Each structure stands twice: as structure tokens, then as C-alpha cells.
Amino acid sequence: MISLQTIAKPSPIHFRPKKPFKRPPKTLTPIHSLLQYNRKPQLSGETPRVVVITSGKGGVGKTTTTANIGLSLARLGFSAVAIDADVGLRNLDLLLGLENRVNYTVVEVLNGDCRLDQALVRDKRWSNFELLCISKPRSKLPLGFGGKALIWLVEALKNREEGAPDFILIDCPAGIDAGFITAITPANEAVLVTTPDITSLRDADRVTGLLECDGIRDIKMIVNRVRTDMIKGEDMMSVLDVQEMLGLPLLGVIPEDTEVIRSTNRGYPLVLNKPPALAGLAFEQAAWRLVEQDSMKAVMMEEEPKKRGFFSFFGG
Amino acid sequence: MASIWTLHVGATSFLPVRSLSDGHQSRSEFGLDSKFSNCSNWNRRAAYRTLVVKALDSDGGDRPLQNDVVVVRKLEEDNVKKPQQNIVAKLPETIGSLPVFVYSTGKLSGTNLAIGLCIVATMLVIVVRGYATRKSSENRAGSVADLVRRGQVRSDRRGISTPLKYEDPFNNPMVKVSKSNSTVEMCGKVYRLAPVVLTDELQTVHQKRRSRAYQWKRPTIFLKEGESVPPDVDPDTVRWIPANHPFATTSSDIDEDLAQNNVRQKHGVPFRIKAEHEALQKKLEALQNDQKLSKLVIDPGAARDFERPMKSNNLKSETQVDQSTSNPAISDQVSKPPPEETINP
């Protein structure tokens, strides 16, 4: 969750000395914020960056990750379009609280019932975030040009008048079926979401293999639903164990948090919570690293008892 | 005279001589310095004492009357009343006798007035400002708060997040990293940090392992089960879709180029809407032309299509009636119900 790396200096504050000949100009020491909240992340890579968020197994948090990272990117000042490519079981609109505003989908765009800009649902909270659903729950996606359709979509978004979005996040369906193949078609990089259990790990390894076969080399993983107390009791694999098994760089580690369920049910992504939840902070940091194409250099391992102060006896 | 005496006694009871002594007591009760009170009021106390003595001396001829029963009783009654009067009189007298108040009431009345005016003005300004802000907040039509008030926006889904402030260095208060970078405190919990040990070599080893384990080619063509593979297609790149797939189909009613154009369309009416509109327009025009050309010709076949089913039934019944009228014997058989005996032999 924390990236221990060289810290870019924030704009230093210079005090003008009273006697310049005697004293050199005094500089304040930069604030050592390891989370690098003291500056806007630098966007690296060619835009639009098309990122597919995938995992082999279902229920590991792909859609939650897409919603939270998408809105984090919007908060960081980047424009993002989230495409819900889960054709049969779309849920991203629910997580974002936009379910009542989805009137048109990609299927309607392909059929000529509407234009692409009419199918894009702009979030009112952060207007540089847009949602695009592939199809309505009961309609069927014509797979004759399923993958190609997404490539056309990316091209159309690139050439639109408002300017190309910085990020196109594709929420991939579970499994390695036709939906998966369609979703990964236009992607240049992938975020693999996994949980620290063996079923999820096996599927993640397989999916990583398929992505690599397809030519997607930039794959980073997010380990979701981590419980440090269980890791301490050796009931759960640690994040480092997961990394050892998959051999993928870490984009983020998301701790298990009850706030996730609450935010899902409210249709209000976790990263917008104030005060921030633990998982929300972790998602924000993952988004930060995604922007800079960075990976974690240190991970949170286990909970230590907090050191009590001298006056803690008195409630201090 | 007795009345005069009583008057004198009454006056003396309210005179500052007594009150001073009482005041002295009360001050000592309040914790004030006795030295202070004694020193400051010594002259005044002496003056009052001489005044009382003079007053008593003036009616010296009436002294024997003091031994009268009535006068004595009156004195006793007055003595009973004195403590009660003292309680009431104690506070203003005490305050009035305080040197600070004596000084301030004499010299600082103008300053007090100014201070009072300032306080009143401040209060007035606060009240007016509060009223103005309340008014302005109420009048801000179209704001999110206004939308929530009118029920157009749900209050629990309002934008409660504030944009991050960049170029404004701050540490996240929820996250504190120790000086040695070995622990981090997030949301009140301390976690130990461990460095990531994944190297590039390890990554390539894993990639090689996966490339050996998983041989895969992305399917480029989707075919329905039972369809024949086109001759120029690699069979490995074919993905077979079952006919009853829940959300995927291989058939589509539009061709690829048209779909691509639809995606690229930026302005104007979408293709399908336009096509439908044009088709309807053509149909309407065609209908209008037909009506113009064959105004007098009625196509009975077409007319029958537009007839309502009820009407056709009625027509049928009418024809039947006509037929029945022409053949009464049959109509009797049809219209009359058969006798019960024939039904139930």
C-alpha cells in the first residue's frame, strides 16, 4: 500500500533572509509524504491508455476496482471512460449509482439507434468520468464483430471533439469466455485483481498467461480483500506470497473493509468517502501508481499494537 | 414626638452608619480586605456618626418619653424589622459603598456610555449579518442544497468529496509513516512494512513458465455450433458459440461497415432512426399517391384486412340470418334447441 521510493520534492518555500550577506537563503525541508499526495501524479505513457481490469475468478472485486480507480483518476484530474464489458451481468452502473441514467448502450450505438456521445453517461459528481455499458442485461451482443466493436469505440473516443480521454478502463467479465476475449481486444495494459486464496490465484495465473499470449505485457496486480490479522495467524497467504506465486508487480493491496459493501449498496464509490476508509485510501494509491506506471516497493504486513503514550492511562 | 423619634430611628436604621458596619461585615464575608474597607471609609463613617448624634441631641427634651410603653414597643418592632430591611438594603449599599463604583459612577459615566454603545452596535451587526447570510443562503436557487431541499437530488448521494489540493504540500492525516520507514499508521492502526523482493529476473522466469504452460491464440472468428468453418480460417482461432448462449449471438442484422460508421458518427440523427423515418416517409407518400390515383377504386381485399373482427362476425351473422330467412325449416332447426329427450335418451 505504501510505495517507498524517492520522493519528488514539492515546490520548496523560500524565506527571504533579512541579511543576505550573512545568511544564505533558508529552505524548508520538503514534507516526506511517502504517499506522494503533495503533487499531481505525472501521466506516463501514450494516451488514451486502455486498461482492462480482469481476473479469472468471479467475485474478487473487478467492478469495485474499476469504479474506485476510475473515480480516483477523475479526482486526480484525468479524464476517464469506464466501459462495462460484462455483457451478461453488468454491475458497474450500480456501483457508481448511475443505473437510472443508462438509456443507451454500445449495442444501440452499433445498430444506429443512437450516437456514441448519447450512450456515454457522464458522472455528475466528477464530470471528467464517463460510463459506457456494452449492452442491456437482457439483450445479446453480436459477437461477429465484438472485439472489433471495442476497437472502433476506442478510436472514436480518441477522435472525439472534446479530446481523447486519458484513461479507458474496461471492466472485464469473469471467466475466459467470449466476453473476456471481447474485453481484452483493445487493451494495451491489464490490471489483474486477485484475492489471497488458491482458487483465485490459479485462475489469475491462467488469465495472465492468456493475456501474455495475446500480447499484453504490461500486467500489474491488485491483491484485494487482504486481512492482516489472518496473515499474522498464518491463515491467509501474505501479499508477498501471492507475488511470489504469480510474479507480477503490485499495483495495490486493498484491505478487507466493511465500507466496501456499504458503498456498493449506496452506489457511492469508496474513494469519495469523507473521512476516507482504509480501502478507499488503498484504491487512491493504486490509481496514483497506475497514472505513473509505478508499482509498490513495500507492502503492509501485519498489525502491530499501537504504542501507548505516557498519559494513555488517563485517556491521552 | 414619638412619631418624630420613630422617624429618627427609622432614618438611622437606613443611615450609612449601620449600613457601613453591615457592609463591612458583608465585605469580609465576600472575602474583601478589611483594611481596605476601613481605611477608605473612615472619614465618611465619622461624618455620619456626628450627623446622627446631632439629630438625637436636637430632641433632647423628649428623652423621658423614651421610657413610654408605646415608644418602647415601637422600638422593639423596629428592631425586629431591621434585619429584613437590612437584607434588601445590603446589596445596593454594599455596591454603592465600594470605592471602585464610587469612583466609576462619578467619573466614568461617559466611557460607560461609549462602551455600552459599542456593545449594542456589535450585537446589532451580528444579528444583521446572521440575518443577511440566512437570507442569501435561502435565495441561492439552483444550488445543490436547493435541489436537495426540493427533493430533486438525494441528499445521501451528494458530492461529499472535495477536490485534492495540489501544489499545497500536506501530509495525509490518516497515514503516518514512522521515521525509519518500517511501520505505517493508517486509520489509527499501525502496520509493519516489508519491502517487495520481486526482481525483473523473477518476472521473466514467471513469464516463461506461463508461455510454456498456456498456448493460446485469440479467437478471431465466432461461429455458431453446427456452422462450417470458412476455408481461409485457422481452426484454432474459431470460437464456437452455442445457439442458446445467454448473452452472445453470432448473427447480427447489420453489416460490419455500417456498424463501424454508426460508432464513428458524431453529429446528426442516428442511422437507424433516420432510416426508419425515411421508410415511414416513403410509405406515407406511397399511400398518398395510391389514394390520389385510385380514389374511386375500393379494393375489397384490402378493406377486409382493416375490418375489425367483431364487424366480420356481425356480417357473418347477418348473412346467416339472410340464409335462415330464405330457408325457414333449417333455421328453425338451428335456432330451436333440441329436445331434452333426444339429448338424454
Side-chain angles (χ1 to χ4, degrees):
Chain A
M1 200 162 295
I2 308 295
S3 110
L4 292 174
Q5 59 174 19
T6 50
I7 301 150
K9 286 182 182 178
S11 57
I13 303 163
H14 295 280
F15 286 118
R16 186 178 292 169
K18 286 178 182 175
K19 294 175 183 176
F21 295 106
K22 288 184 178 177
R23 285 183 198 170
K26 194 180 174 184
T27 323
L28 278 183
T29 50
I31 294 169
H32 287 273
S33 169
L34 292 174
L35 299 161
Q36 304 183 13
Y37 273 121
N38 51 0
R39 63 179 178 85
K40 188 175 176 175
Q42 288 176 343
L43 181 62
S44 64
E46 204 175 314
T47 55
R49 281 174 57 187
V50 187
V51 184
V52 63
I53 293 165
T54 183
S55 77
K57 194 172 168 289
V60 293
K62 293 178 292 294
T63 311
T64 311
T65 305
T66 312
N68 283 293
I69 286 192
L71 272 172
S72 289
L73 291 170
R75 284 187 74 199
L76 293 169
F78 301 100
S79 57
V81 175
I83 300 176
D84 192 350
D86 202 337
V87 181
L89 307 164
R90 78 160 202 228
N91 285 318
L92 186 57
D93 52 338
L94 277 174
L95 258 76
L96 292 165
L98 300 172
E99 68 273 12
N100 293 331
R101 295 182 54 207
V102 180
N103 293 324
Y104 296 119
T105 61
V106 172
V107 171
E108 275 88 44
V109 175
L110 290 170
N111 286 336
D113 291 327
C114 69
R115 296 189 308 272
L116 177 59
D117 57 321
Q118 291 172 316
L120 285 163
V121 182
R122 192 177 289 275
D123 196 307
K124 285 181 181 172
R125 296 162 293 202
W126 289 94
S127 58
N128 46 355
F129 180 82
E130 286 164 303
L131 170 72
L132 180 66
C133 294
I134 283 274
S135 72
K136 286 179 178 168
R138 281 180 290 278
S139 64
K140 286 191 174 188
L141 179 73
L143 285 179
F145 38 83
K148 285 179 195 168
L150 280 184
I151 292 172
W152 302 334
L153 280 174
V154 170
E155 280 175 6
L157 288 170
K158 211 186 278 185
N159 299 325
R160 68 177 178 174
E161 288 172 349
E162 306 155 46
D166 298 316
F167 285 90
I168 297 172
L169 304 175
I170 302 171
D171 182 25
C172 185
I176 47 172
D177 199 9
F180 168 78
I181 296 158
T182 308
I184 66 165
T185 308
N188 302 322
E189 49 192 295
V191 173
L192 191 85
V193 184
T194 181
T195 51
D197 52 81
I198 51 166
T199 52
S200 178
L201 283 180
R202 180 192 272 180
D203 293 358
D205 193 57
R206 177 125 172 82
V207 164
T208 313
L210 300 186
L211 290 170
E212 283 169 350
C213 289
D214 198 46
I216 300 172
R217 295 281 166 184
D218 189 356
I219 307 168
K220 292 193 177 74
M221 70 169 172
I222 285 181
V223 185
N224 198 8
R225 304 178 75 174
V226 174
R227 286 185 59 176
T228 48
D229 56 333
M230 287 184 77
I231 292 171
K232 197 175 181 181
E234 296 189 345
D235 294 320
M236 183 181 267
M237 268 185 277
S238 75
V239 179
L240 293 180
D241 293 338
V242 172
Q243 194 175 35
E244 197 182 330
M245 288 177 80
L246 293 177
L248 290 172
L250 271 166
L251 188 70
V253 176
I254 317 295
E256 176 107 353
D257 199 336
T258 49
E259 279 295 317
V260 176
I261 297 166
R262 198 174 293 160
S263 73
T264 305
N265 291 336
R266 280 180 68 198
Y268 201 90
L270 205 61
V271 289
L272 301 184
N273 274 13
K274 197 176 178 182
L278 199 59
L281 283 173
F283 274 123
E284 253 180 17
Q285 290 160 32
W288 190 287
R289 288 185 205 102
L290 184 71
V291 173
E292 297 208 330
Q293 289 187 327
D294 188 20
S295 62
M296 290 176 78
K297 303 290 184 288
V299 290
M300 288 195 328
M301 286 302 290
E302 63 205 40
E303 210 174 316
E304 282 189 347
K306 194 178 177 182
K307 283 178 186 172
R308 309 286 286 175
F310 181 73
F311 293 106
S312 60
F313 180 75
F314 303 102
Chain B
M1 287 303 286
S3 64
I4 293 167
W5 171 244
T6 50
L7 267 172
H8 273 294
V9 170
T12 49
S13 70
F14 285 103
L15 278 173
V17 178
R18 288 190 67 82
S19 69
L20 271 171
S21 62
D22 290 336
H24 175 65
Q25 282 171 8
S26 66
R27 273 197 297 273
S28 61
E29 280 167 17
F30 292 147
L32 291 174
D33 193 3
S34 58
K35 281 180 189 174
F36 174 75
S37 60
N38 282 335
C39 296
S40 59
N41 294 311
W42 176 252
N43 293 331
R44 272 211 302 163
R45 195 189 295 177
Y48 285 128
R49 211 167 252 176
T50 50
L51 182 74
V52 173
V53 169
K54 276 181 186 173
L56 289 173
D57 285 344
S58 65
D59 48 4
D62 299 331
R63 262 190 197 254
L65 285 174
Q66 284 181 17
N67 297 327
D68 278 358
V69 180
V70 178
V71 173
V72 169
R73 195 176 291 165
K74 191 74 181 172
L75 275 169
E76 282 171 4
E77 281 174 15
D78 285 334
N79 285 333
V80 171
K81 284 178 184 176
K82 268 173 195 170
Q84 292 172 359
Q85 289 165 347
N86 282 343
I87 293 164
V88 180
K90 199 184 276 180
L91 191 65
E93 282 169 7
T94 309
I95 293 166
S97 64
L98 275 172
V100 178
F101 276 88
V102 170
Y103 179 73
S104 64
T105 48
K107 294 184 177 177
L108 293 175
S109 58
T111 325
N112 272 350
L113 189 71
I115 291 167
L117 276 173
C118 281
I119 291 166
V120 168
T122 315
M123 295 290 282
L124 206 69
V125 165
I126 290 166
V127 168
V128 167
R129 205 179 160 195
Y131 180 74
T133 48
R134 200 183 300 161
K135 266 281 177 198
S136 65
S137 66
E138 281 171 2
N139 289 340
R140 203 180 292 159
S143 64
V144 179
D146 187 40
L147 290 174
V148 170
R149 207 176 297 126
R150 286 186 285 158
Q152 292 184 355
V153 172
R154 283 178 59 178
S155 59
D156 59 342
R157 284 193 182 167
R158 284 175 62 191
I160 52 171
S161 64
T162 47
L164 294 174
K165 288 174 186 169
Y166 298 113
E167 312 308 338
D168 178 19
F170 65 96
N171 274 322
N172 194 327
M174 306 295 284
V175 184
K176 291 169 193 165
V177 182
S178 66
K179 285 175 185 174
S180 58
N181 282 346
S182 59
T183 56
V184 62
E185 188 185 332
M186 288 180 82
C187 297
K189 289 177 184 171
V190 181
Y191 296 93
R192 191 168 65 81
L193 288 174
V196 168
V197 289
L198 185 77
T199 56
D200 290 340
E201 290 78 31
L202 273 172
Q203 275 192 57
T204 46
V205 166
H206 275 282
Q207 276 180 6
K208 278 178 186 170
R209 172 184 64 79
R210 275 193 288 263
S211 67
R212 279 196 302 272
Y214 311 117
Q215 302 289 330
W216 188 65
K217 273 184 187 175
R218 184 217 294 263
T220 51
I221 186 165
F222 294 89
L223 292 174
K224 197 159 65 179
E225 283 175 351
E227 284 180 343
S228 60
V229 182
D232 54 337
V233 171
D234 181 7
D236 290 346
T237 59
V238 172
R239 190 82 179 183
W240 296 100
I241 301 294
N244 60 348
H245 198 284
F247 55 82
T249 173
T250 54
S251 62
S252 83
D253 49 349
I254 49 169
D255 65 328
E256 201 173 310
D257 294 332
L258 198 58
Q260 195 172 354
N261 285 335
N262 289 338
V263 173
R264 285 176 182 168
Q265 188 181 2
K266 288 179 186 171
H267 304 287
V269 185
F271 163 76
R272 179 68 67 91
I273 309 290
K274 200 174 181 179
E276 281 177 3
H277 182 75
E278 282 172 0
L280 278 171
Q281 195 83 22
K282 274 179 190 171
K283 202 171 182 180
L284 190 68
E285 280 172 10
L287 275 171
Q288 282 172 348
N289 290 335
D290 286 348
Q291 279 176 2
K292 273 178 192 171
L293 289 171
S294 54
K295 249 182 186 174
L296 299 171
V297 180
I298 297 163
D299 187 7
R304 207 168 287 158
D305 290 342
F306 288 105
E307 278 170 3
R308 296 168 73 183
M310 285 295 289
K311 210 171 182 181
S312 64
N313 287 340
N314 290 342
L315 281 170
K316 270 182 188 175
S317 60
E318 278 171 16
T319 50
Q320 282 173 358
V321 167
D322 291 340
Q323 283 172 0
S324 62
T325 47
S326 61
N327 194 356
I330 299 165
S331 68
D332 286 341
Q333 281 177 2
V334 172
S335 59
K336 279 181 185 174
E340 286 181 11
E341 293 163 1
T342 53
I343 293 168
N344 298 319

